[in-house]
Amino acid sequence: MDFSFQLYSARNFPPLDDVLGRIAKAGYRQVEGFGGLYAEAESLAALLKKYGLTMPTGHFGLAQLLDTDAALKTAETLGIKYLYCPAVSKEERENQPDSKWVALGETLAGLGEAFRKRGFGFGWHNHAFEFEPTASGRLPMDILLETAAHNEWEMDVAWVVKGGQDPIAWMKKFGGRINAIHVKDIAPAGENADEDGWADVGHGTLDWDALYAAAKQHTNVRYFVMEHDNPADVDRFASRSIATVNAWK
């Protein structure tokens, strides 16, 4: 199992060259990309090499994924092995009937088949909206995973909790599909308002010792990806979070 750093966490701290150097110095050897970084994939690949970093996983928006050849070229350039669709727009997810989620699942299933034929893994990355019941009472997360039955899941544990669910129960239910986990923490109520209520890993409310043990027991997770959606200090987040997860070994 490898520890990685989601570069979305550092989007507000340019230049990327400096950030990658500091992430590497903090002890990370892997990073996870996101759609906004791929316009100059060759330059990014050179920066990764400069700092001894690899990018085995990456987030791609649905529009990027539908241009499958371009997405695969980006993945090949950067060494990405697993592509994850991280979300759909607010308009596409609010108050949608089951049929819309089934249609999205079918689209994701088709993409997964196309990527797997080319030797890449593919899956979904959750937020909280997938755990809001539809009018029928079903959860979109169930619909997506059942409809796209061969795709994998990058579980964002903190968003599962934000969605009112128990991540360990979902690990037990779909653990064979979970090959990556976003390691994120939630600040105590009323704290870290300037960071949207998130916390550095191990400095929030989630019991990561128990979550890590459950992930090892119930899932096929290989990649643990540190993420904070809005850190006030990216170096503090990077260093404190990797210190926490290194203590798990």
Side-chain angles (χ1 to χ4, degrees):
M1 291 181 252
D2 299 318
F3 297 135
S4 183
F5 183 96
Q6 168 52 260
L7 291 175
Y8 185 78
S9 306
R11 70 195 181 283
N12 295 325
F13 300 90
L16 182 60
D17 190 330
D18 289 349
V19 168
L20 290 175
R22 299 201 306 272
I23 289 170
K25 188 175 181 180
Y28 295 88
R29 295 294 173 262
Q30 298 180 351
V31 294
E32 182 172 75
F34 66 98
L37 297 177
Y38 302 145
E40 299 181 5
E42 291 184 0
S43 297
L44 177 55
L47 285 178
L48 295 175
K49 184 176 181 180
K50 175 181 177 180
Y51 293 112
L53 296 166
T54 61
M55 186 180 284
T57 63
H59 286 192
F60 291 74
L62 188 56
Q64 291 176 308
L65 292 164
L66 291 172
D67 189 351
T68 304
D69 287 340
L72 285 169
K73 183 178 179 181
T74 296
E76 289 168 352
T77 299
L78 293 169
I80 294 172
K81 300 175 183 177
Y82 293 92
L83 296 80
Y84 300 104
C85 185
V88 290
S89 69
K90 186 176 181 180
E91 293 73 22
E92 294 174 293
R93 65 183 189 243
E94 286 194 340
N95 302 314
Q96 298 296 329
D98 289 9
S99 60
K100 289 291 186 179
W101 291 108
V102 169
L104 175 59
E106 290 172 345
T107 296
L108 295 171
L111 288 168
E113 183 177 357
F115 289 127
R116 285 188 293 274
K117 284 182 178 179
R118 297 280 289 272
F120 294 82
F122 179 69
W124 180 261
H125 167 274
N126 67 279
H127 286 75
F129 61 81
E130 299 92 335
F131 303 99
E132 298 173 7
T134 66
S136 75
R138 296 192 69 195
L139 296 183
M141 196 72 226
D142 280 317
I143 297 174
L144 291 177
L145 290 173
E146 291 168 7
T147 305
H150 298 291
N151 288 354
E152 293 174 293
W153 178 12
E154 180 181 55
M155 176 190 274
D156 189 308
V157 170
W159 277 122
V160 174
V161 174
K162 289 271 192 177
Q165 299 287 316
D166 175 6
I168 293 178
W170 284 86
M171 290 178 189
K172 292 176 180 178
K173 184 176 181 181
F174 287 108
R177 309 274 295 278
I178 299 170
N179 75 325
I181 285 178
H182 264 204
V183 182
K184 186 185 295 184
D185 218 329
I186 301 171
E191 295 185 15
N192 293 10
D194 63 327
E195 298 185 287
D196 298 336
W198 302 108
D200 300 340
V201 178
H203 296 266
T205 59
L206 298 190
D207 184 352
W208 270 107
D209 288 335
L211 290 163
Y212 177 68
K216 287 176 63 179
Q217 181 178 358
H218 300 296
T219 79
N220 289 323
V221 63
R222 176 176 177 181
Y223 302 103
F224 284 90
V225 185
M226 310 307 124
E227 187 180 47
H228 188 310
D229 284 3
N230 189 28
D233 182 334
V234 70
D235 297 290
R236 182 211 70 209
F237 164 67
S239 61
R240 294 214 299 177
S241 297
I242 199 167
T244 294
V245 301
N246 279 336
W248 295 344
K249 293 184 177 181

